[in-house]
Amino acid sequence: VYLLFQALRQISQRTISTASRRQLENRVPENQKLFQEDNGLPVHLKGGAKDSLLYRTTAGLTVFGTVYALYFLLVASLPKKPN
């Protein structure tokens, strides 16, 4: 049991120490320029086509969900027809 614990500890230390060596590119200045640019677009659409698609999908699902909920509220409010 002790050997298993010691092996697991070594594996976890290796994983943590190798992950800290990777350098990620700092893209914050690029994004700041993009989002602070005055091009007449709202902030939630400045990311391009991906942002536009996400916005339209979210808006569509919201409208669909609202209509769906109102329809079932209407159905639930009507009396049942006797057979």
Side-chain angles (χ1 to χ4, degrees), residues 31-74:
N31 287 334
Q32 283 177 335
K33 284 181 188 176
L34 174 71
F35 286 101
Q36 290 176 354
E37 184 179 312
D38 187 19
N39 56 4
L41 288 174
V43 171
H44 61 275
L45 295 178
K46 284 192 176 188
K50 205 182 335 181
D51 279 354
S52 180
L53 178 66
L54 182 63
Y55 173 73
R56 290 173 193 265
T57 302
T58 304
L61 285 172
T62 302
V63 169
F64 174 76
T66 302
V67 170
Y68 189 73
L70 291 174
Y71 170 75
F72 276 98
L73 281 172
L74 177 70

